[in-house]
Amino acid sequence: MSADRFARLPEPPYYMVAFTSLRTDADDTGYAEAAERMLELAAQQPGFLGAESTRDADGFGITLSYWTDERAILAWKHQAEHAATRAIGRARWYSHYELRVAKVERAYGFGRTA
Amino acid sequence: MSADRFARLPEPPYYMVAFTSLRTDADDTGYAEAAERMLELAAQQPGFLGAESTRDADGFGITLSYWTDERAILAWKHQAEHAATRAIGRARWYSHYELRVAKVERAYGFGRTA
């Protein structure tokens, strides 16, 4: 479980999409299935590098997805099933979200050998 | 609770630090106090714009902090109490973390009026 939660990424520069969201109480099953399907689809997109995601018991979540460049992000935005699922998300699953597209300039990490 | 979890930010460009981490099982109280204190200290730093943070039941968390520019991020990195607390974090609270510094180029959001 542990290390699998972290994306394995190349050296910067690359792009990051930060998606911060608050869930409604509605349709947990449909949401979970769609979230899994979107990750599966994203991973098939050219330029997808990885993703990291977490959500607390209050329904506040952050998902980071990583991409080689802006063109890859735009292609994913216009992917038809993804666009349709986003519309359902606004109608049903999210009460509020914020999305930020950013260029990662540097990165470093820490990990125990234990 | 809801809308308070989201940072209120100016229009891009600005900078984001994405801190993805996995907690150890150790010292929840000390960790929670330090996390609160670090947010309080960060908010006093010049150039701090806001933060968003969440962690799931498995201890996997993402914190996004927002800054006017890279100089503000470096000043926060070298803030003495923050640097000392990071050392405790590596020794005690985190088994793994990744930190990425990125320039936010565009942003948009969605929120219900309900």
Side-chain angles (χ1 to χ4, degrees):
Chain A
M1 144 90 50
S2 64
D4 303 320
R5 302 288 299 268
F6 293 91
R8 279 168 186 72
L9 299 174
E11 289 298 305
Y14 49 79
Y15 274 77
M16 167 166 64
V17 178
F19 180 74
T20 301
S21 65
L22 186 65
R23 282 273 288 116
T24 61
D25 294 330
D27 188 21
D28 271 343
T29 306
Y31 170 75
E33 284 170 4
E36 189 177 342
R37 171 70 178 151
M38 288 304 103
L39 185 58
E40 188 183 293
L41 266 186
Q44 294 169 16
Q45 289 282 309
F48 177 82
L49 296 174
E52 296 170 332
S53 191
T54 186
R55 186 176 302 282
D56 67 22
D58 296 320
F60 189 75
I62 299 175
T63 295
L64 306 175
S65 64
Y66 301 99
W67 304 84
T68 51
D69 53 39
E70 288 214 81
R71 199 177 52 162
I73 294 171
L74 285 175
W76 170 234
K77 179 180 180 181
H78 294 300
Q79 202 275 355
E81 185 177 340
H82 179 215
T85 303
R86 286 203 308 279
I88 303 175
R90 286 188 294 271
R92 191 181 302 172
W93 297 316
Y94 297 118
S95 59
H96 184 170
Y97 65 71
E98 301 291 337
L99 190 147
R100 294 164 186 118
V101 178
K103 183 179 186 178
V104 177
E105 297 180 347
R106 57 182 199 277
Y108 43 99
F110 161 79
R112 294 178 191 219
T113 49
Chain B
M1 143 90 50
S2 62
D4 304 318
R5 302 288 299 268
F6 293 90
R8 280 169 185 72
L9 300 173
E11 290 297 306
Y14 49 81
Y15 274 77
M16 168 166 65
V17 178
F19 180 76
T20 301
S21 65
L22 186 66
R23 282 275 286 116
T24 61
D25 294 330
D27 188 20
D28 272 342
T29 306
Y31 170 76
E33 284 170 4
E36 188 177 343
R37 171 70 179 151
M38 287 305 104
L39 185 59
E40 186 182 293
L41 265 186
Q44 295 168 16
Q45 288 281 308
F48 176 82
L49 296 175
E52 296 169 333
S53 190
T54 186
R55 186 175 303 281
D56 66 24
D58 295 320
F60 189 74
I62 299 175
T63 294
L64 305 175
S65 63
Y66 302 98
W67 303 84
T68 51
D69 52 41
E70 288 213 82
R71 200 176 53 162
I73 294 171
L74 285 174
W76 171 233
K77 180 179 181 181
H78 295 300
Q79 202 275 356
E81 185 177 340
H82 179 214
T85 302
R86 287 204 307 280
I88 304 174
R90 286 187 294 272
R92 190 181 303 172
W93 297 317
Y94 297 118
S95 59
H96 184 171
Y97 66 71
E98 301 291 337
L99 191 148
R100 295 165 187 118
V101 178
K103 184 179 186 178
V104 177
E105 298 180 347
R106 58 181 199 277
Y108 44 99
F110 161 79
R112 296 178 190 216
T113 50

